[in-house]
Amino acid sequence: RAPKYWYQFPTYKRRFEMEFANISIFAIILAVVSNMVIGALWYSPILFSAIWVKALGKKMEDIDPKGAYVGYGLTTLGGIFTAVVLSLFIQLLDTVTILDGALFGFLIGLIASFRELSPTFFESRNYTLFFISAGYHIVALTVMGIIIAAFV
């Protein structure tokens, strides 16, 4: 008999059925907003802004707030794209639970983070920046997965 684990990995549909019509627009909006809120908190004085700015080798006064608008716009577009793709992948499951969504989001966040590890090494980037960014992506995508799974 197969051993029982605390988490039973989900089964997948026999054929890939990624349907844009099955995407919940409300879930996408909530996921994108959660991504923005987590990012705002992550890079705020409450969490990592002081460490982040120091790792950049700058002072808070050196950061131009006008450039943030482009960053917020790109973050929003990236969040929409990520939420739609995450929703399409979550649709592949036969049955969806919140834990499945969290697992999918976590794994995709882990993949996205580890893809940045080799450029960080080869380009001699600051590892502190890598860990701050990786943590943000993992947490944000996990929460996005939970939200999307709740509406599938």
Side-chain angles (χ1 to χ4, degrees):
R1 235 171 19 165
K4 293 191 177 187
Y5 298 100
W6 69 273
Y7 178 75
Q8 181 66 38
F9 285 93
T11 57
Y12 300 94
K13 295 178 181 176
R14 291 182 186 245
R15 60 189 189 107
F16 292 112
E17 296 176 7
M18 289 186 175
E19 296 283 336
F20 281 97
N22 294 337
I23 292 176
S24 168
I25 301 300
F26 185 66
I28 299 299
I29 293 169
L30 283 179
V32 171
V33 168
S34 75
N35 183 50
M36 300 292 287
V37 169
I38 291 168
L41 289 172
W42 203 264
Y43 292 97
S44 75
I46 296 170
L47 292 174
F48 300 109
S49 76
I51 300 167
W52 179 67
V53 170
K54 184 178 176 184
L56 286 171
K58 297 183 178 187
K59 295 179 182 172
M60 200 55 122
E61 302 83 41
D62 298 337
I63 297 176
D64 182 18
K66 293 177 186 172
Y69 296 121
V70 174
Y72 292 139
L74 292 172
T75 300
T76 303
L77 287 175
I80 293 167
F81 176 77
T82 303
V84 168
V85 171
L86 189 57
S87 180
L88 290 170
F89 279 124
I90 289 174
Q91 285 181 34
L92 294 175
L93 302 174
D94 279 334
T95 57
V96 180
T97 66
I98 300 296
L99 192 57
D100 295 332
L103 180 64
F104 255 70
F106 174 80
L107 291 175
I108 291 174
L110 206 59
I111 290 167
S113 298
F114 274 98
R115 293 286 303 148
E116 279 300 306
L117 190 56
S118 59
T120 299
F121 174 76
F122 285 113
E123 296 172 6
S124 300
R125 296 181 192 171
N126 189 318
Y127 284 99
T128 303
L129 294 173
F130 165 76
F131 286 115
I132 291 172
S133 179
Y136 160 67
H137 290 299
I138 292 169
V139 170
L141 281 161
T142 301
V143 172
M144 290 173 78
I146 290 169
I147 291 168
I148 291 168
F151 290 91
V152 170

